[in-house]
Amino acid sequence: MNRHHGTTDSHSHLRRRSGISKLIRTLSVVALALAFAFTTAVSSAAPANGPAFVPNEVLVQYRAGTSEAQQNAARGRVNGQRAEVIRERLELAKLPAGANVQAAIAALQSDPAVEFAEPNWIYTHSATSDDPYYTNGSLWGMYGDELTVSTSVAPNQYGSQAEEAWAADHTGSKSVYVGVIDEGIQYTHPDLDGNIWVNPFDPADGVDNDRNGYVDDIRGWDFANGDNSIYDGGRKGTADKHGTHVAGTIGAEGGNGIGVVGVNWNVTMISGKFLGRFGGTTANAIKAVNYFTDLKTLHGLNIVATNNSWGGGGYSQGLLDAITRGAQQNILFIAAAGNSEANNDETASYPSNYNTTEGAGYDAVIAVAAIDSSGRLASFSNYGATTVDLGAPGVGVPSTLPVDTYGSYSGTSMAAPHVTGGAALYASTHAGASAADIRAAILGSTVPTASLAGKTVTGGRLNVGGY
Ligand SMILES: [Ca+2]
Ligand SMILES: [Ca+2]
Ligand SMILES: [Ca+2]
Ligand SMILES: [Ca+2]
């Protein structure tokens, strides 16, 4: 399970935190002559081979109508302390050092005031670098069946067909917004800077002018560090590579004569940074998802989707509830299927296996597998005839990297943003389309692909050519 999402290979460390040794295990998987380094954080509190969670923390959802005294009594069963209120009646509680998290959850669940209690799972992103610098002509994921915009490169039927949409002058719109829930983004990158949100509702004056709970969230928010700097890689680009790469696939600037181009030449991306150097947590993932839902409801921003190229934890009712609230506001949740070669029908992969149908009346989650430039299912990619919706380019994908550079990564992390880019592109040409409409368009326009038959819901690959 924990191979599911790794990081770039710079994350292989042993680290000690809060007295708990964090074992970070590196597995090498050889595929296409690339070494995929999957790194995994496992706390000593985690069950053997189970997903990792933060020791001494639990998420607790209290039932509607419960009093403060009832909540305190429930928390008192496990000698817990309220650390943070995430959402109404949903809190992050601290347990005493050394507490058995699973036992505490059982005790909390038995209290009538508690709707559910669950671990604060740890997520990590997934990406594998094969070539540190962008090589011209390799952006196959944007190609289509015919030569259209580009004349210097060969067509590739297994690309997303974005070129064909561009040929029809469909290159996206800055009035379409996308949330990037990931690491941060080097927002000053010359191929991204024009497509990153600048918050008009909360100027940098030390005041939370729009009262969304985040002071000066100018380009989004860093939930990992609790600050408004969404890029923390400095002048050497030591962090936020993965988020910057994902952003470039969704919306690196096109037609500017430099670097790469995203599915959208124009789009507005907002950072929901929650993955730090050692991953992220359920608590912060929930806050990031809620952030975009709240931005949409508070300001009417046309946020059509969030991209979620991460995973690794177990099931979280709190996170599903947050995704469902987003779904109710017409925000798609587009997720990487995972990189553990696993069948997600048999072993659920989160968040890609979530389904919002029960709470929102449709499923806002789109799970994405990775294919290579020959149309094969990527050797690392998860799949699932009922749980993974489609395939998209995810092997040897060049995109933006800090600082002001480019590089090629592989992973379902790279496939998902092609689909998210497709959602934004579709929204730009179909004003008023609901999230369910966009989802239906994406799944309905896939091209049947042998490697995806029986391994995905659609049996096909992304095709944005007609958007
Ligand atoms: Ca402000
Ligand atoms: Ca604010
Ligand atoms: Ca920061
Ligand atoms: Ca460019």
Side-chain angles (χ1 to χ4, degrees):
M1 270 303 286
N2 280 319
R3 302 162 59 206
H4 174 161
H5 286 82
T7 70
T8 50
D9 52 15
S10 63
H11 292 231
S12 301
H13 310 278
L14 276 171
R15 186 166 181 255
R16 183 162 281 271
R17 184 168 65 185
S18 306
I20 304 293
S21 68
K22 292 185 55 102
L23 172 63
I24 298 188
R25 186 181 46 175
T26 300
L27 299 174
S28 293
V29 176
V30 177
L32 302 174
L34 308 177
F36 293 86
F38 295 89
T39 60
T40 304
V42 181
S43 84
S44 63
N49 300 319
F53 52 80
V54 182
N56 309 326
E57 287 185 3
V58 287
L59 285 164
V60 186
Q61 176 79 61
Y62 297 102
R63 291 188 194 282
T66 51
S67 67
E68 184 73 11
Q70 289 170 318
Q71 296 180 11
N72 291 340
R75 198 184 309 106
R77 286 174 179 252
V78 296
N79 298 313
Q81 291 189 321
R82 176 181 288 159
E84 186 178 1
V85 176
I86 305 288
R87 186 95 186 174
E88 47 184 341
R89 305 191 313 280
L90 176 64
E91 73 178 22
L92 182 66
K94 290 272 190 199
L95 302 174
N100 182 319
V101 170
Q102 298 293 5
I105 286 170
L108 286 162
Q109 301 264 39
S110 71
D111 191 292
V114 173
E115 188 171 334
F116 63 79
E118 59 191 21
N120 194 16
W121 301 112
I122 294 171
Y123 309 107
T124 54
H125 64 61
S126 139
T128 46
S129 169
D130 61 6
D131 185 350
Y133 298 104
Y134 173 68
T135 306
N136 192 26
S138 61
L139 201 58
W140 68 273
M142 301 296 162
Y143 300 166
D145 300 339
E146 303 161 26
L147 284 175
T148 50
V149 175
S150 297
T151 55
S152 60
V153 293
N156 188 320
Q157 62 173 315
Y158 299 109
S160 66
Q161 315 279 326
E163 261 194 337
E164 296 187 6
W166 303 339
D169 233 6
H170 296 167
T171 56
S173 166
K174 286 193 170 39
S175 67
V176 174
Y177 294 72
V178 171
V180 179
I181 300 179
D182 205 286
E183 288 184 339
I185 302 169
Q186 192 218 333
Y187 58 88
T188 57
H189 194 295
D191 233 359
L192 293 173
D193 55 0
N195 286 343
I196 304 291
W197 188 51
V198 178
N199 186 347
F201 310 107
D202 193 347
D205 56 3
V207 175
D208 182 17
N209 308 76
D210 64 348
R211 298 184 185 178
N212 68 343
Y214 301 102
V215 176
D216 298 349
D217 49 326
I218 300 165
R219 299 177 182 85
W221 192 255
D222 176 353
F223 298 91
N225 298 302
D227 60 42
N228 79 338
S229 64
I230 60 153
Y231 174 65
D232 296 301
R235 296 173 67 175
K236 292 185 175 175
T238 55
D240 300 320
K241 292 183 173 72
H242 187 270
T244 300
H245 197 280
V246 162
T249 297
I250 297 167
E253 296 165 33
N256 64 349
I258 60 166
V260 293
V261 55
V263 174
N264 300 270
W265 297 22
N266 303 289
V267 66
T268 300
M269 294 181 282
I270 306 174
S271 174
K273 172 174 177 172
F274 91 105
L275 295 173
R277 292 175 191 274
F278 298 94
T281 66
T282 303
N284 287 333
I286 291 170
K287 285 190 276 186
V289 172
N290 287 342
Y291 176 72
F292 291 108
T293 306
D294 291 344
L295 275 185
K296 187 164 191 175
T297 53
L298 184 63
H299 299 304
L301 292 182
N302 185 25
I303 299 172
V304 300
T306 59
N307 189 83
N308 299 275
S309 290
W310 50 273
Y315 179 85
S316 164
Q317 185 65 46
L319 183 53
L320 174 56
D321 288 349
I323 296 167
T324 299
R325 280 193 295 273
Q328 290 163 345
Q329 298 301 324
N330 277 301
I331 302 176
L332 293 170
F333 185 96
I334 298 171
N339 291 356
S340 51
E341 309 168 41
N343 184 344
N344 290 354
D345 291 1
E346 295 174 356
T347 307
S349 175
Y350 298 108
S352 73
N353 270 48
Y354 289 124
N355 186 318
T356 65
T357 303
E358 188 178 334
Y362 74 103
D363 188 9
V365 180
I366 300 178
V368 186
I371 60 170
D372 69 14
S373 62
S374 299
R376 293 172 294 209
L377 181 68
S379 58
F380 53 78
S381 183
N382 289 16
Y383 54 90
T386 64
T387 53
V388 177
D389 293 297
L390 77 169
V395 177
V397 176
S399 187
T400 43
L401 284 176
V403 175
D404 300 350
T405 188
Y406 304 90
S408 189
Y409 282 6
S410 298
T412 53
S413 282
M414 284 62 246
H418 283 91
V419 176
T420 302
L425 186 61
Y426 187 87
S428 75
T429 55
H430 297 78
S434 69
D437 293 339
I438 298 171
R439 184 183 206 275
I442 289 171
L443 301 191
S445 60
T446 52
V447 181
T449 304
S451 70
L452 299 168
K455 295 208 163 184
T456 56
V457 174
T458 62
R461 63 183 185 270
L462 179 68
N463 169 21
V464 309
Y467 297 4

